[in-house]
Amino acid sequence: MDWENPYHEINKGCLYEEDGREHMNLEQDKKLDSFLLGWSRGVNPEGEDYGEQAFEELSWNNLGYRFGLLFDQTSRELKEEMYYWCVKEMNE
């Protein structure tokens, strides 16, 4: 995180060149595990830094990674709520 310019980092976290996520119904959770794994890696980016590659094509995993970078550790319930919100928004 660039603490001298946090707005740049937050805005960068919202950008991508291609959306590679698979469209799903709200009842489907087959990408939830990938999203949660990405979130965990975002909370501890020293272990695995996705780098600039994460900002080229959006996937469920690197979307979770971005949220982990921005929001840090939180409850599983909130992470799941964010996932299902993203699925809903993607389908509208």
Side-chain angles (χ1 to χ4, degrees), residues 1-13 45 49 52 55 69-70:
M1 173 66 88
D2 179 0
W3 293 109
E4 293 183 26
N5 190 359
Y7 296 111
H8 169 74
E9 293 294 320
I10 290 169
N11 289 334
K12 182 179 172 186
D49 183 1
E52 293 298 316
F55 301 104
L69 286 173
L70 291 172

Side-chain angles (χ1 to χ4, degrees), residues 17-78:
E17 292 179 25
E18 294 180 45
D19 189 345
R21 296 174 299 160
E22 181 179 336
H23 286 268
M24 293 175 284
N25 297 324
L26 279 176
E27 297 79 31
Q28 292 179 301
D29 62 359
K30 63 183 181 179
K31 295 296 181 179
L32 176 60
D33 287 341
S34 181
F35 178 81
L36 295 174
L37 177 62
W39 193 308
S40 295
R41 290 178 175 163
V43 170
N44 300 304
E46 302 84 31
E48 183 165 345
D49 183 1
Y50 285 30
E52 293 298 316
Q53 179 181 341
F55 301 104
E56 292 174 9
E57 183 175 2
L58 187 63
S59 69
W60 288 107
N61 187 278
N62 73 36
L63 181 59
Y65 177 78
R66 295 166 188 223
F67 282 141
L69 286 173
L70 291 172
F71 302 119
D72 204 31
Q73 193 56 263
T74 188
S75 70
R76 181 179 173 103
E77 292 79 21
L78 184 56

